[in-house]
Amino acid sequence: MSPESIQKQIATIVEATGHGPDFVRRNAAIIDYTNWRNERSERIIMPLQLRLKSTEWHPDLQWLMEARCGEDGKRKDFAMAGIHSWKAIKP
């Protein structure tokens, strides 16, 4: 993921949450993720909570992480089984 893309996604989360960029950087991560449509991509997320549940997009009972997504700032559920790797954002 390019530094420009990281900055843009952090700014999206900052705008959506009202948290400062330093807070978001400390609490966000870059994940390599495959979504329910089997589309794989790198994303910046800021985790909020972890729950055992099912949703419209994830109909099987499983561990889902609710997080702010850097692509659009929305709260989304990410299937833990779909996360291939996870890394901290370097300051």
Side-chain angles (χ1 to χ4, degrees):
M1 181 171 282
S2 72
E4 294 81 19
S5 181
I6 291 171
Q7 285 302 101
K8 182 179 178 190
Q9 290 194 38
I10 287 172
T12 299
I13 295 173
V14 166
E15 185 177 328
T17 63
H19 295 302
D22 290 339
F23 178 88
V24 171
R25 252 185 200 284
R26 284 192 313 272
N27 291 284
I30 300 170
I31 60 170
D32 176 9
Y33 181 69
T34 300
N35 67 14
W36 63 277
R37 290 184 299 259
N38 207 31
E39 299 167 341
R40 191 169 178 172
S41 64
E42 274 193 323
R43 299 175 183 222
I44 292 185
I45 60 161
M46 189 171 77
L48 302 170
Q49 61 183 331
L50 186 63
R51 290 187 173 179
L52 183 62
K53 67 178 189 175
S54 60
T55 68
E56 176 183 354
W57 311 115
H58 304 284
D60 297 328
L61 185 64
Q62 60 185 303
W63 286 103
L64 299 176
M65 177 179 38
E66 183 180 350
R68 286 282 180 178
C69 180
E71 291 181 350
D72 57 16
K74 294 180 181 176
R75 287 175 167 238
K76 296 182 180 177
D77 290 315
F78 294 88
M80 293 300 292
I83 298 175
H84 305 284
S85 66
W86 173 292
K87 58 186 171 186
I89 298 172
K90 296 184 177 157

